[in-house]
Amino acid sequence: MAIETPEGYEAFTVETIKNYIASDALLAARVGGAPDQLKTVEVGDGNLNLVFIVEGPAGSLIIKQALPYVRLIGESWPLPLKRSYFEYHTLTRQAAASSDGARVPEIYAYDEANALIAMEYLSDHIILRKGFIQGIAYPRLANDLGLFLAETLFRTSDLHMDTARKKADVALYSDNVALCDITESLVFTEPYQEAELNQWTSPQLDRLVQTLRQDRDVKVAVQVMKERFTTCTQSLLHADFHSGSVMVNQADTRVIDPEFSFYGPMGFDTGALFANYFLAYFSQAGHAQQAGDRDAYQKWLLQTAIDTWATFEARFRELWHSERTGILFPRSLFEDQDDAMGSEQALTRTLRSLFVDTVGFAGTKMIRRLVGLAHVEDMESIEDPDQRARCEANALAMGRELLVSRHQFSSIGQLCDLARSIKNRGVTL
Amino acid sequence: MAIETPEGYEAFTVETIKNYIASDALLAARVGGAPDQLKTVEVGDGNLNLVFIVEGPAGSLIIKQALPYVRLIGESWPLPLKRSYFEYHTLTRQAAASSDGARVPEIYAYDEANALIAMEYLSDHIILRKGFIQGIAYPRLANDLGLFLAETLFRTSDLHMDTARKKADVALYSDNVALCDITESLVFTEPYQEAELNQWTSPQLDRLVQTLRQDRDVKVAVQVMKERFTTCTQSLLHADFHSGSVMVNQADTRVIDPEFSFYGPMGFDTGALFANYFLAYFSQAGHAQQAGDRDAYQKWLLQTAIDTWATFEARFRELWHSERTGILFPRSLFEDQDDAMGSEQALTRTLRSLFVDTVGFAGTKMIRRLVGLAHVEDMESIEDPDQRARCEANALAMGRELLVSRHQFSSIGQLCDLARSIKNRGVTL
């Protein structure tokens, strides 16, 4: 299918982006200098977009530009530029919703016609996934992400947000059809059937892939999770909350790239993060230089998972008590009737439901990264295919158990016990 | 608050509506004759709108016109005229979705500026609720409503509908904020707290009303159901599916008045209908001329509830097998992999989840009709307040049990057993 370039849209190059910057007074002032003094490099390593780093005498910035097709696949898979519009609006909403607005990059400009966002260049940060692969511990990570998730999810839900504003926002994001479709297909469907784009470490995992597609409990469970995804407008989600969407250093944590954003179930965001903690955990054996030298890091990863949920839950509880101003579980039925206990019971039930969703989506997200189209560098960078397959088989076993038995877990600690037990036992290939 | 009449809008009277009809060639042709040959009467007995019956030499029609405020309350409670737009669009969608398109009135014209729908006058029908009060059995009712609910709900869900069309439709109906707000307040909140508009048979039910507001399990449960209502975009609902929204005679059944329509949980429609069957059941003692003369009718009402679900479930199962073309539970994961059993398990789980919602919403809808603002004529028309209070107390007990114990029931037959047992025992006032 030929791509029709929308009126007024130009896909920039490392050269043409210089004149674009120069033509915008605000952006030009930020980097300083004439076009020929600007240093530009294109670093988009994701699946969809162009990403330029622009550095000038006075400063630097990032230009993220959507292409009218999926970069990973090419022009044969068109994709609406409007995803840039959703990303921009979500970045501004997340900045407003998180108490520390600096958890997302600062936005300098948004150009709707060119599907382009100019934003802060986080030159001192690296992608969290790369940190995981290198075995770097981040002391602020659990706290920063736990708070960010609790605040952005609580404050965009019917527990807090004005209902008319929320309904208008649900309508706005309903148009992010194409990006939801990618998730509906690549996360919830194709890994469980023959599909041209599926990939896995072959032949090592062939038998497990066949077993997965015949696993009735898995298939029913993943469709139940898909139903949650397509019909539950609980909160404004990032909706691609993996370790490639987080940038870190020892002193800071930022969340980027919310172009998949829409109103969905909170557990889809929390689950994605836990999936990526556990994928990183199982991949460590493939990154060890010698046996045991990643043991401490694996321990850190599991503790980080536990700490993330603890922070998330504590902040969610605080917000429940201090900012429950929406139409759900109104104070008029509980606290205002001297029934604080009723409010606590409702909170317990809400957190329980959220935890079950989190576990189910975590399992779903792990599986799709092992046998679907888009894999994770944690595993892909393990060169020895036998070693990689062992790591992946363990992760796949965990993903399956989280998805199918999501109602049987009661804490992240139990998930960590499961991860350790699968690692120690090892899945037979 | 003063109501600003929108540009181009005119609230008609029995006189001015005649010239309006005459000025529209299609409508004029349908009724025939000059304005002064038309017989008009205003019969709106609902809470919100004007309803004119127009009869002329050649035929008749109904004009339903929205007022810019809640008729039951007055100009102090403004209400957007746009509800007429949603009603019109839902009537056309329901006509298309139900195999027998004649389950909704035929639409002759829609005038957006005047918030007015011209439609078929069902002169041979009466409102189902009035039939219930008179003790009239309708042999087609269970079958007609079971089919209508199964078809309209299945075919507007992600089990069937194209996902891009559905997401656009979810966005469209997200603007029906004001009508959703009425439900959120009057159904899910106010009955459980002090609120100016609450009414109940006093002093007979005073103690039960106080008990209800202190009933922690009820309050938590009703907020969980409210969360389903506000965050679950499963299907295009009628959203006010009570026995006042159904017109009947011995040979026909029609569903009217979907102005509350939006994308919500299927069980909200099915639950509303069962709530009204059971409200009618408990009210019969108040309509008996002598002891026992409504026993047979009560039996018919319970059998009708059982038959309605049986038809609904059978048709839903058929559609699951023949029209499951949407993104949920795709055949590619089940039937196409020779795994019909997986599809059956998923169907069982889907029906189970829908049944639990149905029971929970039925309980919610019963309670709000007994202690909230809007009551039902089934009870209101019982003149002796002691007798009425006995009927209402029984219905209230059933509503409470359905809401709180919704997970503990497995069939409509069990709900009928519960209704009989409450009636025989009788709630102590």
Side-chain angles (χ1 to χ4, degrees):
Chain A
M1 190 194 298
I3 299 290
E4 219 177 294
T5 303
E7 185 86 13
Y9 172 85
E10 175 190 354
F12 291 109
T13 67
V14 287
E15 284 311 313
T16 57
I17 196 69
K18 293 177 184 175
N19 287 322
Y20 177 82
I21 303 273
S23 73
D24 182 305
L26 278 172
L27 297 182
R30 197 168 277 279
V31 292
D36 61 4
Q37 290 177 281
L38 300 181
K39 214 182 95 195
T40 56
V41 54
E42 203 285 309
V43 297
D45 66 347
N47 301 328
L48 303 180
N49 306 294
L50 296 172
V51 179
F52 301 97
I53 299 170
V54 181
E55 294 181 289
S60 63
L61 53 79
I62 287 278
I63 298 283
K64 178 172 176 181
Q65 184 177 35
L67 289 164
Y69 52 84
V70 177
R71 188 178 185 173
L72 174 71
I73 304 290
E75 300 204 0
S76 63
W77 188 337
L79 199 65
L81 296 173
K82 194 173 176 184
R83 63 188 189 272
S84 181
Y85 170 90
F86 296 114
E87 175 165 357
Y88 166 70
H89 282 285
T90 299
L91 285 166
T92 60
R93 281 160 175 72
Q94 288 176 337
S98 56
S99 297
D100 186 348
R103 284 284 81 73
V104 295
E106 188 186 344
I107 302 302
Y108 301 146
Y110 168 58
D111 175 348
E112 189 169 349
N114 281 306
L116 171 161
I117 303 169
M119 63 185 121
E120 184 179 7
Y121 172 38
L122 301 167
S123 58
D124 296 334
H125 298 64
I126 67 168
I127 291 286
L128 175 59
R129 191 184 302 290
K130 294 184 186 291
F132 283 166
I133 294 167
Q134 294 168 44
I136 305 171
Y138 296 98
R140 291 184 51 130
L141 187 69
N143 187 66
D144 287 349
L145 294 184
L147 289 182
F148 179 84
L149 283 166
E151 292 175 347
T152 56
L153 297 178
F154 185 95
R155 288 175 173 152
T156 59
S157 77
D158 284 321
L159 293 168
H160 175 80
M161 197 166 169
D162 169 74
T163 185
R165 270 187 57 222
K166 179 171 178 253
K167 286 177 168 97
D169 230 29
V170 167
L172 182 106
Y173 282 91
S174 288
D175 198 30
N176 205 4
V177 175
L179 282 278
C180 284
D181 176 65
I182 290 178
T183 305
E184 287 152 4
S185 297
L186 297 187
V187 176
F188 291 104
T189 312
E190 298 202 347
Y192 305 92
Q193 65 183 49
E194 267 187 58
E196 211 185 324
L197 300 173
N198 285 340
Q199 315 176 35
W200 62 88
T201 301
S202 181
Q204 290 87 344
L205 296 184
D206 289 0
R207 188 185 59 80
L208 292 180
V209 170
Q210 283 315 113
T211 303
L212 183 75
R213 292 185 193 162
Q214 288 157 15
D215 191 329
R216 187 170 294 148
D217 293 335
V218 162
K219 290 187 294 178
V220 173
V222 81
Q223 291 310 299
V224 171
M225 298 315 297
K226 191 202 232 175
E227 186 179 33
R228 291 286 291 161
F229 181 86
T230 66
T231 66
C232 174
T233 59
Q234 204 168 28
S235 293
L236 181 63
L237 304 187
H238 179 288
D240 199 25
F241 209 95
H242 56 71
S243 53
S245 296
V246 178
M247 298 195 70
V248 284
N249 59 34
Q250 293 298 306
D252 190 28
T253 314
R254 303 292 186 102
V255 179
I256 62 171
D257 285 355
E259 66 203 314
F260 282 82
S261 190
F262 77 114
Y263 277 81
M266 298 184 185
F268 191 73
D269 270 4
T270 49
L273 180 58
F274 288 102
N276 279 268
Y277 285 150
F278 292 121
L279 286 166
Y281 174 85
F282 286 110
S283 78
Q284 294 300 318
H287 303 303
Q289 300 298 311
Q290 53 193 64
D293 73 356
R294 289 290 180 112
D295 290 0
Y297 194 65
Q298 287 187 306
K299 211 170 147 186
W300 177 82
L301 280 169
L302 296 188
Q303 189 59 48
T304 297
I306 290 170
D307 294 347
T308 301
W309 184 267
T311 301
F312 172 81
E313 180 177 329
R315 186 68 181 127
F316 196 96
R317 284 180 182 277
E318 279 175 7
L319 294 168
W320 179 277
H321 292 121
S322 62
E323 296 189 16
R324 211 169 80 252
T325 54
I327 58 172
L328 283 188
F329 301 99
R331 297 178 66 88
S332 61
L333 298 197
F334 300 104
E335 287 87 342
D336 297 353
Q337 295 183 20
D338 265 335
D339 184 16
M341 180 65 82
S343 165
E344 293 308 304
Q345 286 187 6
L347 171 56
T348 300
R349 176 262 158 209
T350 298
L351 283 167
R352 173 68 198 158
S353 166
L354 173 49
F355 182 79
V356 172
D357 272 2
T358 299
V359 176
F361 284 122
T364 307
K365 292 281 218 167
M366 291 178 76
I367 294 170
R368 64 87 51 134
R369 293 294 188 182
L370 301 163
V371 303
L373 166 65
H375 285 228
V376 288
E377 193 183 340
D378 311 64
M379 297 295 185
E380 295 301 289
S381 62
I382 302 171
E383 283 183 17
D384 173 12
D386 289 329
Q387 173 68 287
R388 184 169 70 243
R390 281 192 295 275
C391 295
E392 291 174 329
N394 287 347
L396 192 62
M398 175 142 180
R400 193 251 177 223
E401 195 149 338
L402 296 189
L403 173 55
V404 171
S405 304
R406 62 195 180 280
H407 293 282
Q408 268 66 59
F409 296 98
S410 61
S411 70
I412 298 293
Q414 287 184 346
L415 305 194
C416 294
D417 291 344
L418 175 66
R420 267 187 295 266
S421 107
I422 290 174
K423 184 194 82 161
N424 292 338
R425 200 175 60 223
V427 170
T428 307
L429 284 177
Chain B
M1 189 192 300
I3 298 291
E4 219 177 296
T5 304
E7 184 87 13
Y9 172 86
E10 176 190 353
F12 291 109
T13 66
V14 287
E15 285 310 313
T16 58
I17 195 68
K18 293 178 184 174
N19 287 322
Y20 177 81
I21 303 273
S23 71
D24 183 304
L26 277 172
L27 297 181
R30 197 168 277 282
V31 292
D36 59 7
Q37 292 177 280
L38 299 181
K39 211 182 97 197
T40 56
V41 53
E42 204 283 309
V43 296
D45 66 346
N47 301 329
L48 304 180
N49 306 295
L50 295 172
V51 179
F52 301 97
I53 299 170
V54 182
E55 294 180 289
S60 63
L61 53 79
I62 286 277
I63 298 283
K64 178 172 176 181
Q65 183 177 34
L67 288 164
Y69 52 84
V70 177
R71 187 177 187 176
L72 174 69
I73 303 291
E75 299 204 358
S76 63
W77 189 337
L79 200 64
L81 296 174
K82 195 174 174 183
R83 63 189 191 271
S84 180
Y85 171 90
F86 296 116
E87 175 165 356
Y88 167 69
H89 281 286
T90 299
L91 285 167
T92 60
R93 281 159 174 72
Q94 288 176 337
S98 57
S99 297
D100 186 349
R103 283 284 81 72
V104 295
E106 188 185 345
I107 302 301
Y108 301 147
Y110 169 57
D111 174 347
E112 190 168 348
N114 281 306
L116 171 161
I117 304 171
M119 64 186 119
E120 183 180 5
Y121 172 37
L122 301 167
S123 57
D124 297 333
H125 298 64
I126 67 168
I127 291 287
L128 175 59
R129 191 184 301 289
K130 294 184 186 290
F132 284 167
I133 293 167
Q134 294 169 44
I136 305 170
Y138 295 98
R140 291 183 52 132
L141 186 69
N143 187 67
D144 286 348
L145 293 184
L147 290 182
F148 180 83
L149 284 165
E151 292 176 344
T152 56
L153 297 177
F154 185 94
R155 288 176 173 151
T156 60
S157 79
D158 283 321
L159 293 168
H160 174 80
M161 198 167 169
D162 170 74
T163 185
R165 269 188 56 221
K166 178 171 179 253
K167 286 176 167 100
D169 231 29
V170 167
L172 182 106
Y173 282 92
S174 289
D175 197 30
N176 203 5
V177 175
L179 282 277
C180 284
D181 177 65
I182 290 178
T183 305
E184 288 151 4
S185 297
L186 297 187
V187 176
F188 291 105
T189 311
E190 299 201 348
Y192 305 92
Q193 66 183 47
E194 266 187 56
E196 209 185 325
L197 299 174
N198 285 340
Q199 316 176 35
W200 62 88
T201 301
S202 183
Q204 290 87 344
L205 296 185
D206 288 1
R207 190 186 59 80
L208 292 180
V209 170
Q210 283 315 112
T211 303
L212 183 76
R213 292 185 193 161
Q214 288 158 15
D215 190 329
R216 187 171 292 149
D217 293 335
V218 161
K219 290 187 294 177
V220 173
V222 80
Q223 291 309 299
V224 171
M225 298 315 298
K226 191 202 230 175
E227 185 179 33
R228 292 286 291 161
F229 181 85
T230 66
T231 68
C232 175
T233 59
Q234 205 168 27
S235 293
L236 180 62
L237 305 187
H238 179 287
D240 198 25
F241 208 97
H242 55 70
S243 51
S245 296
V246 178
M247 296 194 71
V248 284
N249 59 34
Q250 293 299 307
D252 191 28
T253 315
R254 304 293 186 100
V255 180
I256 62 170
D257 285 355
E259 66 202 315
F260 281 82
S261 190
F262 77 113
Y263 276 82
M266 298 183 186
F268 191 73
D269 270 3
T270 48
L273 179 58
F274 288 103
N276 279 267
Y277 285 151
F278 292 121
L279 286 167
Y281 174 84
F282 286 110
S283 77
Q284 293 300 316
H287 303 303
Q289 299 298 313
Q290 54 195 65
D293 74 356
R294 289 293 179 112
D295 289 0
Y297 193 65
Q298 287 188 307
K299 211 169 149 188
W300 178 82
L301 281 167
L302 296 188
Q303 190 58 47
T304 296
I306 290 171
D307 293 347
T308 300
W309 184 267
T311 301
F312 173 81
E313 180 177 330
R315 185 68 181 126
F316 196 96
R317 285 181 181 276
E318 279 176 5
L319 294 169
W320 178 277
H321 292 121
S322 62
E323 296 190 16
R324 209 168 81 253
T325 55
I327 59 173
L328 283 188
F329 301 98
R331 298 178 64 88
S332 62
L333 298 198
F334 299 104
E335 286 87 343
D336 297 352
Q337 294 183 23
D338 265 335
D339 184 16
M341 180 66 81
S343 165
E344 293 307 304
Q345 286 187 7
L347 171 56
T348 299
R349 176 261 159 210
T350 299
L351 283 168
R352 173 69 198 156
S353 166
L354 173 49
F355 182 78
V356 172
D357 273 1
T358 299
V359 176
F361 285 123
T364 307
K365 292 282 219 167
M366 290 177 77
I367 294 170
R368 64 85 52 132
R369 294 294 188 183
L370 302 162
V371 303
L373 167 64
H375 286 226
V376 288
E377 193 183 338
D378 312 64
M379 297 294 186
E380 296 300 291
S381 62
I382 301 172
E383 284 184 17
D384 173 14
D386 289 329
Q387 173 69 286
R388 182 167 73 241
R390 281 193 294 275
C391 294
E392 290 174 328
N394 287 346
L396 192 63
M398 175 142 180
R400 194 249 177 223
E401 196 149 338
L402 296 190
L403 172 55
V404 172
S405 304
R406 61 196 181 280
H407 294 282
Q408 268 65 60
F409 296 97
S410 61
S411 69
I412 299 294
Q414 287 184 347
L415 304 194
C416 294
D417 291 344
L418 175 65
R420 265 187 295 265
S421 106
I422 290 174
K423 185 195 80 161
N424 292 338
R425 199 175 59 223
V427 170
T428 307
L429 284 177

